[in-house]
Amino acid sequence: MSPLDDLSALSACCPALTAPADIEPYARDWSGRYAHPPRAVLRPGSAEEVAAALRACAAAGLAVVPAGGRTGLCGGAVPRADGPPAVVLSLERMNRIRAVDARDFSITVDAGCTVRAVQEAAAAAGRLFPLSFGAEGSAQIGGALSTNAGGIRTIRWGNARDLVLGLEVVLPDGRVLNDLRRVRKDNTGYALRHLFIGGEGTLGVITGAALKLAPALRARETAFLAVPSPAAALALLDRLSSNGAELIGFELIGRWPLELVRRHAPRARLPFALESPWYVLLELGTAAAGADLRTPLEGALAAAVEAGEAGEAVIAESEEQRAALWYLREIMPECNRAEAPSVSADTSVPVSAVPSFLAEVEAALAARWPEGKLIAVGHAGDGNVHIALQAPRGTPREAWHRDAEAIEDTVNRIAVAHGGSFSAEHGIGQSKRHAMAALRDPVALDLMRAIKAALDPRGLMNPGKMLP
Amino acid sequence: MSPLDDLSALSACCPALTAPADIEPYARDWSGRYAHPPRAVLRPGSAEEVAAALRACAAAGLAVVPAGGRTGLCGGAVPRADGPPAVVLSLERMNRIRAVDARDFSITVDAGCTVRAVQEAAAAAGRLFPLSFGAEGSAQIGGALSTNAGGIRTIRWGNARDLVLGLEVVLPDGRVLNDLRRVRKDNTGYALRHLFIGGEGTLGVITGAALKLAPALRARETAFLAVPSPAAALALLDRLSSNGAELIGFELIGRWPLELVRRHAPRARLPFALESPWYVLLELGTAAAGADLRTPLEGALAAAVEAGEAGEAVIAESEEQRAALWYLREIMPECNRAEAPSVSADTSVPVSAVPSFLAEVEAALAARWPEGKLIAVGHAGDGNVHIALQAPRGTPREAWHRDAEAIEDTVNRIAVAHGGSFSAEHGIGQSKRHAMAALRDPVALDLMRAIKAALDPRGLMNPGKMLP
C-alpha cells in the first residue's frame, strides 16, 4: 500500500489530522526536549474506533504513539525522530464520565478525561478523587495511568496504580480487553491491568478506567516550618505518622528553591525569613465530621520544636493562607527556570534513607560541579525527593546540559545504591532509556522484553520508548 | 535420567523428603478435596537453594508445585492427580524476618514466614501488618501473596497485593528476579511483581517480600447489630464511610449461620435473640492518640436506628466482649460443617450491588434447591459476600456435592452479571478452572496464556492450576 492509501484507510476508522499545522502540537510534550511530527494524528471517539484504528495501523505496519494531554516530561507521547513511520493516537475526544457510583466509591471514565474533570465529577457526588499533581488540568487520566502518575497525595492514597479498579484496553491487534470491573477483590488469574498501568502505551491503549474514590475531605490543616536538617524532617514525619496523623502531604524543600521563589515570584509571600537550610510544607486532611486536626498538629509541632526538630512554624488560618503556602511549592518549577538552566532527576528512596541519600547527593554534586546549585524539593513523605542541579545564572542551556547525562547518572546511582529508583513518578519514555539499560536488573529487563514480545510481537506500540 | 538419578540430583540442591510417610502431609490442602502425593518434597533454606532446585527440576523435566502453609481451599498447592510427575517445593524453612524498618513503615521477610509471624514482628516495632484472615497462624506470606489473600481488613488496607513494596522471585529457569525494593514510587518499566502476586506459583516462586506496615492501632470499637436487610446494612456502611469513620471491618451475616453458631458452638454468646434476617459485625480502628471513636459510632448507630436501618445493637465494652463478638464470626465455618455439608462460592460484586446480588442469589437457589439453606456471610464492606448452599441435616456429602458445579455456577453467573468476580479471595487452583473457562473474558485468557508461555515456556511451574 502507498502512504496515501494508508492514510485514507486510517481516516475511514476515525477522524484524523494530516495537515502539518494541525499535527504540529502533537509533535512535542511539555519537556520540549523531544519533537518529531507523526504521519497523522488519529482522534477516535470510542473504544471501537480505537480498535479499528489499531487494526488499520497493524495492516499498514504503522507504529502507534498513544497520547493524552502530552504533559509528560520524558518524550513518551511523541514519535521518535529516529523511529519508524508513526501516527499519534490521541484520546482527547474520549472524554465522557461514564458513571459515578457514590455508594460504591467508584467512578468510570473515558481515558481522555482530564484528571481535573475526574476530580470535579467525584466532588459533584460528594466524593474525592485523590490523584493530584501540577499538570492535572491538562493531563488525561489515560496518560496518568499509563505513566502511573504520582504527585503530592501519594503519602495517603498511593500512586495512580493504587486507584484503579478496572481497565478497558485496546490491544495491538485491535481486540478489546474488557476488564472494566469495579470489584475490590478479584483473584481470577494474572492481574493484567498492572501491565498496562505504567506500561507507557507499549502494550496497548487504555481507553477507559474504573477508579476508586475516597470520602470528601471535611477539614484540612496546612503548616509550613523551618527544620534544621532532612533527618529532623523525617523525625517529625515519624512523630506524626506514628500518632496516626492523617497526613495528605509532606513536602521537604531546600532553602535554595525558596530563595528563587522570593526572587522570581512577586506574588509569593514567605511567612518568615529564610534562615534555615530546610523547610517542610505539610498538610493533614480528614473526612470525619467534627474531627479536630488542629490540636494534634499543634501538639506535634510544639514537641518537634522542643526536640530541636523544627524552628519557626506557621499554620494556615484561612483558605487564602493555605493557598498562599501551596503557591510557594507550585510556583517553584517556574522560578527555577527563570533563574538558570538545570538538570533534573526523578529519584525515590526508602523514606528512612532520605537524609543519607540527600547528604551523599549534595557531596557528590558539589565535588564535581562546585559551581552548581542544589535544588532539592519533593514528596519526602513517600521518599520521592526531586533533585536538580542548577547552573550559575547566565549559563546557556546547551552548555549546562552537556553534562546532563553525567549529573543524572550521579544522582541515579546514589538512589539505586540506597535501594531506590531512578524514575519515581515521571516514567521512562525516551529520556531515561539509557538509565534503564545501565541501572535496571538485567533479569527484570529480560522479563519485560519477553512480555513485550508476547503482547506486541510486531513491536508497533510506542516503539523506542521505555524498554532499552 | 532415571527417576532415581532425578531425586539424587534434587537432594543435592537442598534437603528433600522422599519417604511416603514424610510426603503424605504435602499431598493435600485444607479443602480436603484434592490429594495427590508428589515425587518428593524439596525444602530449600534460601533463594539460592530454590534457584538450584528449579534448575535441577528443569533439567529433569519435573513439574514444581510451590507450597506454603497449604491452607488454600482450591487445590493450588498440591499436585494434580492427573498431572505430570511433580515435586512439591515447600518454603517452610525460609522463615526469617530479614529486616524491620519502623520509620520506613516496612518489613522484609522470607516467603516462608507465617502471616502471624509477620504481624508479630511488626507489632514488636510498634507497627501493624494489617493482613488478617482465619488461617493466619499457618498460612505463609509467600502463599498469601501468590493467592493475593484478602480477609477481614481489606476494607481499610486492601488485599495482600496492596501491601507489597517489592518481591524476590526465582524464575522457572532458576534465575533470581531481585526486585525486593522498598520504594513507594517506582516507574521503571512493567510492574512485574503484580504478575507473581496472585499468580499461584505458575510463573515462579516468591522467596522474599518487602511489605508495607501501618501505624499500630491505639483504639478500636466493635459493634454487632441487627439490620432489616442488606440494603439497610449498605446504608449504614455509607453513613459511616461518608463521615470518614475509620472502618477496619464490616461483615454482613445472615440469620442462618448465626443459628448454626448457637446450635454448635457452646462457648458462643449471642448478645440478643435472633429475630432479624440480617446482622452486621463492624469495627472501627485508629492509630490516633486520644481519638474518640465511640461518640461518632454511637451517633451513627442512633441515626441508623432512627432511619430504620438498624434494630438492636451492642458495642463491646471490653476486650473480652470484643473477642466474644468476633468469635461468633470466626467459629462459623466450623459450625456450618458440623450441621451439614454445603457448597461454597467465593464471589464479589461492587459494594452498591450487594443487595441486588443477594436477592437474586436467594431466589435462584431457592427455586432450584428449595431444600437448601442459604449461608451468606462475608466482607460486605468490600463487596465480598461468601455464599454457601447447605444441605438438609443428615444429607451425605457426596449426594449434595453432586450438584456442586451447578450450585457454584448459579451463584457465579449472578455475580458476573452484576459486574463481579467468581473468585474474590481464594484464587483458582484446581477448583475454579472450569469457571475460568466458562466465565472469564476469552481475550483476558489469551493474554494470560501468552504471559505464561513467555515466562514458563516449558510449562513446569504448577501445571494444571489457574489457567484453563
PDB file of all heavy atoms in Angstrom, chain B residues 350-367:
ATOM      1  N   PRO B 350     -19.534  -5.197  43.010  1.00  0.00           N
ATOM      2  CA  PRO B 350     -19.393  -3.820  43.504  1.00  0.00           C
ATOM      3  C   PRO B 350     -20.239  -3.648  44.764  1.00  0.00           C
ATOM      4  O   PRO B 350     -21.328  -4.222  44.871  1.00  0.00           O
ATOM      5  CB  PRO B 350     -19.935  -2.976  42.342  1.00  0.00           C
ATOM      6  CG  PRO B 350     -19.708  -3.814  41.125  1.00  0.00           C
ATOM      7  CD  PRO B 350     -19.918  -5.233  41.576  1.00  0.00           C
ATOM      8  N   VAL B 351     -19.733  -2.877  45.708  1.00  0.00           N
ATOM      9  CA  VAL B 351     -20.391  -2.767  47.015  1.00  0.00           C
ATOM     10  C   VAL B 351     -21.867  -2.386  46.862  1.00  0.00           C
ATOM     11  O   VAL B 351     -22.745  -2.954  47.512  1.00  0.00           O
ATOM     12  CB  VAL B 351     -19.647  -1.752  47.900  1.00  0.00           C
ATOM     13  CG1 VAL B 351     -20.390  -1.519  49.208  1.00  0.00           C
ATOM     14  CG2 VAL B 351     -18.235  -2.252  48.196  1.00  0.00           C
ATOM     15  N   SER B 352     -22.141  -1.457  45.973  1.00  0.00           N
ATOM     16  CA  SER B 352     -23.525  -0.990  45.829  1.00  0.00           C
ATOM     17  C   SER B 352     -24.432  -2.066  45.238  1.00  0.00           C
ATOM     18  O   SER B 352     -25.652  -1.946  45.292  1.00  0.00           O
ATOM     19  CB  SER B 352     -23.562   0.271  44.960  1.00  0.00           C
ATOM     20  OG  SER B 352     -22.981   0.016  43.701  1.00  0.00           O
ATOM     21  N   ALA B 353     -23.847  -3.117  44.670  1.00  0.00           N
ATOM     22  CA  ALA B 353     -24.650  -4.181  44.062  1.00  0.00           C
ATOM     23  C   ALA B 353     -24.915  -5.330  45.025  1.00  0.00           C
ATOM     24  O   ALA B 353     -25.626  -6.285  44.666  1.00  0.00           O
ATOM     25  CB  ALA B 353     -23.942  -4.703  42.806  1.00  0.00           C
ATOM     26  N   VAL B 354     -24.403  -5.281  46.245  1.00  0.00           N
ATOM     27  CA  VAL B 354     -24.560  -6.392  47.181  1.00  0.00           C
ATOM     28  C   VAL B 354     -26.033  -6.746  47.425  1.00  0.00           C
ATOM     29  O   VAL B 354     -26.410  -7.926  47.348  1.00  0.00           O
ATOM     30  CB  VAL B 354     -23.810  -6.108  48.516  1.00  0.00           C
ATOM     31  CG1 VAL B 354     -24.247  -7.062  49.616  1.00  0.00           C
ATOM     32  CG2 VAL B 354     -22.296  -6.209  48.307  1.00  0.00           C
ATOM     33  N   PRO B 355     -26.916  -5.765  47.702  1.00  0.00           N
ATOM     34  CA  PRO B 355     -28.320  -6.151  47.974  1.00  0.00           C
ATOM     35  C   PRO B 355     -28.983  -6.864  46.795  1.00  0.00           C
ATOM     36  O   PRO B 355     -29.630  -7.902  46.975  1.00  0.00           O
ATOM     37  CB  PRO B 355     -28.992  -4.802  48.280  1.00  0.00           C
ATOM     38  CG  PRO B 355     -27.884  -3.918  48.769  1.00  0.00           C
ATOM     39  CD  PRO B 355     -26.684  -4.325  47.957  1.00  0.00           C
ATOM     40  N   SER B 356     -28.804  -6.326  45.610  1.00  0.00           N
ATOM     41  CA  SER B 356     -29.450  -6.939  44.445  1.00  0.00           C
ATOM     42  C   SER B 356     -28.850  -8.309  44.147  1.00  0.00           C
ATOM     43  O   SER B 356     -29.544  -9.270  43.803  1.00  0.00           O
ATOM     44  CB  SER B 356     -29.333  -5.967  43.263  1.00  0.00           C
ATOM     45  OG  SER B 356     -29.123  -6.645  42.079  1.00  0.00           O
ATOM     46  N   PHE B 357     -27.533  -8.440  44.312  1.00  0.00           N
ATOM     47  CA  PHE B 357     -26.872  -9.732  44.136  1.00  0.00           C
ATOM     48  C   PHE B 357     -27.453 -10.765  45.100  1.00  0.00           C
ATOM     49  O   PHE B 357     -27.814 -11.880  44.699  1.00  0.00           O
ATOM     50  CB  PHE B 357     -25.365  -9.556  44.356  1.00  0.00           C
ATOM     51  CG  PHE B 357     -24.603 -10.828  44.579  1.00  0.00           C
ATOM     52  CD1 PHE B 357     -24.370 -11.703  43.524  1.00  0.00           C
ATOM     53  CD2 PHE B 357     -24.108 -11.162  45.838  1.00  0.00           C
ATOM     54  CE1 PHE B 357     -23.662 -12.887  43.725  1.00  0.00           C
ATOM     55  CE2 PHE B 357     -23.408 -12.337  46.046  1.00  0.00           C
ATOM     56  CZ  PHE B 357     -23.186 -13.203  44.988  1.00  0.00           C
ATOM     57  N   LEU B 358     -27.573 -10.392  46.363  1.00  0.00           N
ATOM     58  CA  LEU B 358     -28.077 -11.344  47.365  1.00  0.00           C
ATOM     59  C   LEU B 358     -29.519 -11.750  47.077  1.00  0.00           C
ATOM     60  O   LEU B 358     -29.886 -12.919  47.206  1.00  0.00           O
ATOM     61  CB  LEU B 358     -27.962 -10.740  48.771  1.00  0.00           C
ATOM     62  CG  LEU B 358     -26.547 -10.742  49.355  1.00  0.00           C
ATOM     63  CD1 LEU B 358     -26.501  -9.939  50.655  1.00  0.00           C
ATOM     64  CD2 LEU B 358     -26.068 -12.174  49.597  1.00  0.00           C
ATOM     65  N   ALA B 359     -30.330 -10.781  46.667  1.00  0.00           N
ATOM     66  CA  ALA B 359     -31.738 -11.093  46.381  1.00  0.00           C
ATOM     67  C   ALA B 359     -31.838 -12.080  45.219  1.00  0.00           C
ATOM     68  O   ALA B 359     -32.602 -13.054  45.268  1.00  0.00           O
ATOM     69  CB  ALA B 359     -32.501  -9.802  46.063  1.00  0.00           C
ATOM     70  N   GLU B 360     -31.054 -11.847  44.187  1.00  0.00           N
ATOM     71  CA  GLU B 360     -31.120 -12.756  43.030  1.00  0.00           C
ATOM     72  C   GLU B 360     -30.591 -14.146  43.369  1.00  0.00           C
ATOM     73  O   GLU B 360     -31.135 -15.161  42.921  1.00  0.00           O
ATOM     74  CB  GLU B 360     -30.328 -12.180  41.850  1.00  0.00           C
ATOM     75  CG  GLU B 360     -31.106 -11.134  41.083  1.00  0.00           C
ATOM     76  CD  GLU B 360     -30.402 -10.733  39.797  1.00  0.00           C
ATOM     77  OE1 GLU B 360     -29.844 -11.622  39.100  1.00  0.00           O
ATOM     78  OE2 GLU B 360     -30.401  -9.534  39.484  1.00  0.00           O
ATOM     79  N   VAL B 361     -29.499 -14.185  44.140  1.00  0.00           N
ATOM     80  CA  VAL B 361     -28.933 -15.478  44.523  1.00  0.00           C
ATOM     81  C   VAL B 361     -29.936 -16.266  45.360  1.00  0.00           C
ATOM     82  O   VAL B 361     -30.174 -17.463  45.124  1.00  0.00           O
ATOM     83  CB  VAL B 361     -27.617 -15.268  45.310  1.00  0.00           C
ATOM     84  CG1 VAL B 361     -27.245 -16.516  46.100  1.00  0.00           C
ATOM     85  CG2 VAL B 361     -26.487 -14.897  44.352  1.00  0.00           C
ATOM     86  N   GLU B 362     -30.553 -15.605  46.320  1.00  0.00           N
ATOM     87  CA  GLU B 362     -31.510 -16.277  47.195  1.00  0.00           C
ATOM     88  C   GLU B 362     -32.655 -16.874  46.370  1.00  0.00           C
ATOM     89  O   GLU B 362     -33.023 -18.037  46.545  1.00  0.00           O
ATOM     90  CB  GLU B 362     -32.037 -15.274  48.232  1.00  0.00           C
ATOM     91  CG  GLU B 362     -32.820 -15.919  49.345  1.00  0.00           C
ATOM     92  CD  GLU B 362     -32.972 -14.995  50.563  1.00  0.00           C
ATOM     93  OE1 GLU B 362     -32.715 -13.778  50.435  1.00  0.00           O
ATOM     94  OE2 GLU B 362     -33.363 -15.509  51.628  1.00  0.00           O
ATOM     95  N   ALA B 363     -33.168 -16.069  45.455  1.00  0.00           N
ATOM     96  CA  ALA B 363     -34.302 -16.542  44.644  1.00  0.00           C
ATOM     97  C   ALA B 363     -33.892 -17.694  43.739  1.00  0.00           C
ATOM     98  O   ALA B 363     -34.604 -18.700  43.607  1.00  0.00           O
ATOM     99  CB  ALA B 363     -34.858 -15.370  43.821  1.00  0.00           C
ATOM    100  N   ALA B 364     -32.721 -17.565  43.100  1.00  0.00           N
ATOM    101  CA  ALA B 364     -32.305 -18.593  42.138  1.00  0.00           C
ATOM    102  C   ALA B 364     -32.023 -19.918  42.837  1.00  0.00           C
ATOM    103  O   ALA B 364     -32.386 -20.992  42.342  1.00  0.00           O
ATOM    104  CB  ALA B 364     -31.063 -18.116  41.378  1.00  0.00           C
ATOM    105  N   LEU B 365     -31.376 -19.856  44.009  1.00  0.00           N
ATOM    106  CA  LEU B 365     -31.068 -21.101  44.722  1.00  0.00           C
ATOM    107  C   LEU B 365     -32.343 -21.733  45.276  1.00  0.00           C
ATOM    108  O   LEU B 365     -32.522 -22.953  45.208  1.00  0.00           O
ATOM    109  CB  LEU B 365     -30.059 -20.834  45.848  1.00  0.00           C
ATOM    110  CG  LEU B 365     -28.656 -20.399  45.392  1.00  0.00           C
ATOM    111  CD1 LEU B 365     -27.772 -20.104  46.608  1.00  0.00           C
ATOM    112  CD2 LEU B 365     -28.005 -21.451  44.501  1.00  0.00           C
ATOM    113  N   ALA B 366     -33.241 -20.898  45.811  1.00  0.00           N
ATOM    114  CA  ALA B 366     -34.483 -21.430  46.376  1.00  0.00           C
ATOM    115  C   ALA B 366     -35.346 -22.087  45.297  1.00  0.00           C
ATOM    116  O   ALA B 366     -36.037 -23.078  45.550  1.00  0.00           O
ATOM    117  CB  ALA B 366     -35.258 -20.314  47.079  1.00  0.00           C
ATOM    118  N   ALA B 367     -35.288 -21.529  44.093  1.00  0.00           N
ATOM    119  CA  ALA B 367     -36.117 -22.081  43.021  1.00  0.00           C
ATOM    120  C   ALA B 367     -35.664 -23.493  42.646  1.00  0.00           C
ATOM    121  O   ALA B 367     -36.475 -24.382  42.412  1.00  0.00           O
ATOM    122  CB  ALA B 367     -36.060 -21.163  41.801  1.00  0.00           C
TER     123      ALA B 367
END
